[in-house]
Amino acid sequence: MMSQMESLKNSTNITLLYTSTPKYIDVATYTRLQELKSSYANIHGYLSTAVCLVGILANIANIVVLNKKHMRTSTNIILLWLAVADLCAMVEYVTFAIPFYVFKEEGMPSIFHNRTYGWMFYLLFHANFSLSMHSISIWLTIMLATFRFIYIFLFTRANKYCSIRHAKIVILIIYIGAVVLCIPNYISNYWVRVNITNTVSGENETVYTFEERNYGPYLYIFDMNYWIQSILIKLVPCVLLTILTIMLILGLRKAYKNHQQIQSQGLRNNDVEKHHEHYRTTSMLLAVVILFLIVELPHGIMTLLMIFMGELHSELYDPLGDILDIVALMNSGVNFVLYCSMSKQFRDTFIATFCKCFTSNEDREKWINMSLITQRNRASSRKMSNITHANGSLGQMV
C-alpha cells in the first residue's frame, strides 16, 4: 500500500506526467503506462474502498477467531497481530481513498495537491502510518515463516524457541522497531504552499502539497530514510522471504514423504493424523508467505534497480503505483479465505462464533469442550512420543 505515497515522497515535483524523455523505456511504453495510470485512477478509489471494506470484515473475523482461548498458540498469535496490522492499514486506507480519489477536488494537477490544510495534514499522516503498518506486516510474515522453519528443521527445540512468550516478545519488538525505523520518514515529510494553475478554469491558485526536507542538516536524514526503506523494508525482507519460502517448500516435501511412509507402514491413525495435520499447517502458512512474496517481490526488484537507475522511479514505478496498491490491499484481506479453506478448526470456530443461526448454544458449547479435550489428548500424546512438530502452532487449528 506504499507505492503511491513512495512515488510522492521521492519527487519534489509532483506532476501527472513525466515532462522529459524517458531514459530506460521507450516512449510508446511510457505513454501507455501514463494512460493506464490516468484511466485506472478514475476507478481506484471505488475499487480500493470495496476491497478494504471486505478486508476489514475478514480481518475482524480473523482477530475474533484467533483470539479464542482454545486457539491461542504461538503461530496463531503472530497471525492475530498480522491481522491487526492489516486491519489498521485498510481502515486508514478507506479514509484516504474516499476524499482523495472518490471525491477528489477538481482542477488539481494531482491527488497530492489540496486546497484544505486539514486534508493535507491527513495525507502526511497517511504517508507515515501506511509505511509503518506495511513494515510491521512484512516483518511479521518473516517471523511467521521463521517459526515454521524451526518447527520443521529444529523441531526438538521448537518448544523452547517458539513459545507463546517468545512470540509476544518478538511481536512487540517488531511493532516498536517499525515505528523507530520510520522516524526518518516522519521527519522528512512536510507540507508547503505552492502556486498552481487550475486544470479546469486555468486560474492561478495557492494550494497545499507535499515535499521532503532534503537540504541542509536534513539531507542526512533524507539519505538515511532512503536507505532504510530500500534495505530494511524492501530488499532484505524480499531476500529473507525468498529463502524461507524455498526452505518451507523443501520442508513440505519432507513432510509429504513422511506422511506417505507412515501410511504405507500401517501405523495407528493418531500418528497418521498428526503428520497430515503438520503437512496441512505447513501448506497453509506457505501459501500465506508466497502470496506476500508475490506482492513484495516486484517492489524489491524495482527498488534494487532504482538504486542504480534513479529515473526508473518516475518512468515505471510511479505509473504502476495505484495498481501495486490494490494488489497489496487484496493480499491483506485474503488470509481469511486461506484459513477457512485449509483449516477445519478455524472453520468450526468461525461457524460457532458468527453463524449462530446454524448452530445452537448447546452444539457450540459441546464443540468447544470437545476441541479442548482433543487438544489436551494430543498434547499428552506428543509428550509421550517426544514429537513436537506442531506444538504451539497453527497445526492445532486443523
Side-chain angles (χ1 to χ4, degrees):
M1 278 175 279
M2 290 308 304
S3 307
Q4 195 58 265
M5 299 311 302
E6 286 166 354
S7 62
L8 165 65
K9 293 180 292 179
N10 282 276
S11 174
T12 56
N13 247 343
I14 309 168
T15 57
L16 284 176
L17 295 176
Y18 190 57
T19 56
S20 61
T21 303
K23 182 177 181 181
Y24 296 108
I25 61 177
D26 60 89
V27 176
T29 301
Y30 175 75
T31 302
R32 285 194 292 269
L33 287 174
Q34 292 296 337
E35 291 173 351
L36 174 63
K37 173 185 176 180
S38 180
S39 59
Y40 177 71
N42 295 325
I43 64 171
H44 177 71
Y46 301 96
L47 184 59
S48 60
T49 299
V51 169
C52 285
L53 292 177
V54 174
I56 287 169
L57 295 177
N59 280 296
I60 289 175
N62 289 340
I63 293 170
V64 172
V65 172
L66 294 172
N67 198 43
K68 292 292 183 181
K69 186 175 182 180
H70 65 281
M71 299 288 286
R72 291 176 189 170
T73 62
S74 58
T75 303
N76 291 0
I77 289 175
I78 301 172
L79 293 173
L80 169 64
W81 286 99
L82 178 60
V84 170
D86 288 340
L87 175 64
C88 292
M90 298 185 100
V91 169
E92 193 278 328
Y93 200 93
V94 169
T95 56
F96 160 71
I98 291 177
F100 286 95
Y101 280 92
V102 179
F103 299 110
K104 60 184 177 181
E105 293 184 322
E106 291 187 355
M108 295 295 100
S110 79
I111 64 168
F112 304 115
H113 292 80
N114 202 283
R115 298 183 178 93
T116 308
Y117 168 76
W119 283 119
M120 183 51 57
F121 181 83
Y122 181 80
L123 190 59
L124 275 170
F125 169 77
H126 169 73
N128 296 322
F129 184 82
S130 57
L131 178 64
S132 301
M133 292 299 104
H134 178 80
S135 305
I136 290 170
S137 293
I138 193 170
W139 282 103
L140 284 179
T141 305
I142 292 172
M143 178 186 173
L144 184 69
T146 303
F147 268 46
R148 199 59 197 173
F149 170 83
I150 294 174
Y151 283 127
I152 295 173
F153 295 98
L154 302 171
F155 61 88
T156 57
R157 304 177 185 178
N159 282 338
K160 177 181 178 181
Y161 296 151
C162 302
S163 64
I164 291 179
R165 179 174 177 272
H166 287 168
K168 291 180 178 179
I169 292 173
V170 177
I171 290 169
L172 181 62
I173 292 173
I174 288 175
Y175 266 78
I176 296 176
V179 174
V180 173
L181 285 177
C182 292
I183 288 177
N185 189 75
Y186 305 156
I187 298 173
S188 295
N189 295 323
Y190 75 110
W191 60 268
V192 293
R193 299 184 70 180
V194 295
N195 293 320
I196 58 100
T197 300
N198 190 302
T199 59
V200 176
S201 65
E203 298 178 356
N204 291 329
E205 287 190 59
T206 301
V207 298
Y208 298 96
T209 190
F210 246 115
E211 280 195 13
E212 281 196 323
R213 296 184 175 98
N214 57 353
Y215 52 83
Y218 294 104
L219 184 59
Y220 300 102
I221 298 176
F222 176 83
D223 291 338
M224 183 189 302
N225 180 45
Y226 175 79
W227 288 108
I228 286 176
Q229 292 194 44
S230 299
I231 303 300
L232 296 180
I233 301 180
K234 296 293 182 184
L235 298 181
V236 171
C238 284
V239 171
L240 290 176
L241 280 177
T242 302
I243 295 173
L244 289 168
T245 298
I246 294 172
M247 298 304 296
L248 288 178
I249 291 174
L250 295 175
L252 196 62
R253 293 183 61 185
K254 176 183 175 182
Y256 178 76
K257 290 179 180 178
N258 290 341
H259 180 63
Q260 295 293 101
Q261 184 178 4
I262 288 176
Q263 283 185 318
S264 63
Q265 291 175 351
L267 297 180
R268 57 184 180 178
N269 292 334
N270 188 39
D271 288 332
V272 174
E273 176 58 27
K274 276 190 291 186
H275 278 268
H276 185 51
E277 175 184 286
H278 175 70
Y279 178 78
R280 285 184 296 179
T281 300
T282 304
S283 300
M284 185 175 67
L285 297 181
L286 180 61
V288 173
V289 174
I290 288 178
L291 284 175
F292 207 94
L293 181 61
I294 290 173
V295 174
E296 291 302 316
L297 194 56
H299 290 81
I301 293 174
M302 282 191 280
T303 299
L304 178 61
L305 293 176
M306 285 187 296
I307 293 177
F308 308 100
M309 305 160 62
E311 294 86 352
L312 197 65
H313 184 280
S314 298
E315 296 175 11
L316 181 63
Y317 194 77
D318 178 41
L320 297 176
D322 285 340
I323 295 176
L324 293 173
D325 277 359
I326 195 65
V327 172
L329 290 171
M330 290 179 178
N331 181 61
S332 297
V334 77
N335 286 347
F336 174 78
V337 178
L338 292 176
Y339 303 159
C340 283
S341 62
M342 304 183 74
S343 170
K344 183 178 185 300
Q345 190 174 13
F346 186 92
R347 289 195 304 271
D348 291 341
T349 304
F350 174 79
I351 292 173
T353 304
F354 293 100
C355 304
K356 296 184 179 181
C357 55
F358 298 105
T359 55
S360 64
N361 291 333
E362 183 179 347
D363 291 336
R364 289 197 300 274
E365 184 177 352
K366 179 181 178 181
W367 181 89
I368 293 173
N369 290 334
M370 287 298 295
S371 176
L372 291 172
I373 293 172
T374 301
Q375 289 183 31
R376 290 167 185 159
N377 291 339
R378 287 179 178 176
S380 299
S381 176
R382 280 192 294 269
K383 289 179 181 179
M384 293 179 63
S385 60
N386 197 29
I387 297 177
T388 58
H389 285 303
N391 183 38
S393 73
L394 194 63
Q396 293 180 353
M397 290 174 52
V398 187

